[in-house]
Amino acid sequence: RAVKVAPVVLLSVLDHFMRRPEGNKRVIGALLGNVTSDSTVEVRSSFPVSHSEGENVALDTDYFETMLELHAKVQPSESVVGWYGTGIATDDNSVLFHEFFGRSCPSPVHLLIDAHLDSDGFHPRAFVTTAYSIGELELSSEFREVPVAMQFSASEKFGLDALSQNRKKQELAMDEDEDEDDDAYDDERVMEPQNGAVSAKHSAETRTERKLMRLRAKYAMPSEVDNLERSLARLRELLDVVGDEVTAVVNGEREGDRRLGRFLSETLAMVPRIGLDEFDKMIGDSLRDHLMVLYCAKLTQVQLAMTEKLLAVEL
């Protein structure tokens, strides 16, 4: 039995963990999705469930049932397939939680996520229980780990690739800015004894402004032009890989695959044939439309600001 998890589920779990009540060491919630004909569990969404651990273990069952009813109205094709919890290992309370969610599905899956990153990685683990019994008398149950994999849709994969590449680019820029900041700070300290123009207060303000600029660059979302450039670069890499494969088959260096060749032929047939001039015109029109939208948005923002000031003057 295998488990496939959508990326949005992991992001929801992390968001739940970051917003957990003070004092809670972990969070739990319900997993929703489907079970395929080959017993593969596809986890597509989730929602949190309030709980408390201590002398007594308790779950907010009313909230769970309400959220389940609301989710059934939005996604009637999805049902409870298990539950999630944060941490690096299961414990005695995990068995109680597993039994509770087992009332909503016959064989629940437990998804364990290390939100603290204590294991130096972010690799979710999935578990199912194996019951030990004598006849009809159940003695105990044990968690057994099963394979887990990420399941991406085309849009999710594109978004995650953009975030990952943009993050690497920002970290590289941050390192370069920090080196420049250190060099500039050293230059200021060297210049200070000579002319006395650079005061300690000015140096602190300059360093603060540079830190703010680095933070804005760190958390800034990539523009549409950056995404387009990144997508075209990725497309160029894929075309190079496909070209090398086709060249190797044509030269007899590698045995061809008819199914792969048919797939490439159908894919190329779907690509519209557009001349260079027409392509340039399409890109130019799209860019002009984008700039016009930005101009109208800025103009509206200025008009609103002026209106607020005029109303304040009249009052």
Side-chain angles (χ1 to χ4, degrees):
R1 189 176 189 181
V3 179
K4 295 182 179 180
V5 184
V8 67
V9 175
L10 300 183
L11 297 178
S12 299
V13 174
L14 290 178
D15 180 71
H16 183 198
F17 182 77
M18 294 298 295
R19 300 172 184 271
R20 71 188 186 280
E22 186 177 358
N24 283 21
K25 295 182 179 180
R26 68 171 172 178
V27 296
I28 66 172
L31 299 176
L32 301 109
N34 302 102
V35 180
T36 61
S37 57
D38 59 350
S39 298
T40 299
V41 180
E42 296 181 350
V43 182
R44 299 179 181 176
S45 59
S46 63
F47 63 81
V49 178
S50 301
H51 80 290
S52 61
E53 297 182 70
E55 296 181 358
N56 297 319
V57 179
L59 283 161
D60 192 345
T61 56
D62 294 336
Y63 177 80
F64 170 75
E65 293 175 357
T66 302
M67 288 295 296
L68 194 58
E69 292 177 0
L70 294 175
H71 189 84
K73 295 179 180 179
V74 179
Q75 293 289 346
S77 61
E78 296 180 1
S79 59
V80 176
V81 294
W83 65 287
Y84 68 81
T86 57
I88 58 176
T90 58
D91 55 15
D92 295 338
N93 292 340
S94 300
V95 178
L96 300 177
F97 296 145
H98 201 80
E99 291 177 354
F100 170 78
F101 287 98
R103 303 173 188 172
S104 302
C105 58
S107 183
V109 172
H110 173 35
L111 190 66
L112 186 63
I113 300 173
D114 180 17
H116 284 284
L117 301 180
D118 294 331
S119 58
D120 296 331
F122 188 67
H123 306 289
R125 303 167 62 191
F127 298 88
V128 296
T129 54
T130 301
Y132 295 96
S133 60
I134 298 178
E136 297 182 356
L137 178 61
E138 293 186 2
L139 300 178
S140 64
S141 58
E142 180 184 13
F143 281 105
R144 177 172 54 88
E145 189 168 359
V146 294
V148 59
M150 300 301 298
Q151 186 177 30
F152 303 93
S153 64
S155 58
E156 289 173 338
K157 188 176 186 305
F158 176 79
L160 290 174
D161 288 343
L163 290 174
S164 176
Q165 294 179 9
N166 186 66
R167 178 66 177 177
K168 294 178 181 178
K169 182 179 179 181
Q170 289 175 353
E171 289 178 353
L172 181 60
M174 288 282 291
D175 294 337
E176 294 176 353
D177 291 341
E178 288 178 358
D179 294 339
E180 293 177 359
D181 191 15
D182 293 338
D183 295 339
Y185 179 65
D186 293 338
D187 293 340
E188 290 177 359
R189 295 185 62 183
V190 171
M191 293 172 59
E192 186 173 356
Q194 295 179 358
N195 51 26
V198 181
S199 62
K201 180 179 179 180
H202 178 72
S203 300
E205 292 177 352
T206 303
R207 289 194 299 272
T208 302
E209 291 177 358
R210 289 172 180 165
K211 290 180 180 179
L212 290 175
M213 292 177 62
R214 287 199 300 267
L215 289 175
R216 294 191 186 100
K218 178 180 179 181
Y219 295 105
M221 292 297 293
S223 63
E224 293 185 3
V225 177
D226 294 335
N227 288 331
L228 177 60
E229 181 181 1
R230 190 178 297 114
S231 300
L232 292 177
R234 178 59 176 167
L235 179 61
R236 180 67 178 271
E237 294 176 0
L238 295 176
L239 289 176
D240 291 339
V241 173
V242 174
D244 295 340
E245 179 72 18
V246 173
T247 302
V249 173
V250 172
N251 295 336
E253 301 174 357
R254 190 175 303 172
E255 184 178 356
D257 187 349
R258 292 183 179 179
R259 185 176 58 180
L260 179 60
R262 190 178 299 109
F263 175 78
L264 291 176
S265 178
E266 294 175 354
T267 303
L268 293 175
M270 295 172 60
V271 178
R273 298 181 179 275
I274 302 176
L276 181 59
D277 296 338
E278 186 177 356
F279 182 78
D280 291 340
K281 184 177 182 300
M282 291 173 56
I283 295 296
D285 293 342
S286 177
L287 183 59
R288 282 192 292 271
D289 293 341
H290 180 65
L291 293 176
M292 179 60 69
V293 172
L294 290 178
Y295 173 77
C296 293
K298 292 292 184 182
L299 184 61
T300 304
Q301 184 178 3
V302 172
Q303 289 180 346
L304 291 175
M306 292 179 61
T307 303
E308 291 179 357
K309 292 184 179 296
L310 291 175
L311 292 175
V313 171
E314 291 179 359
L315 294 176

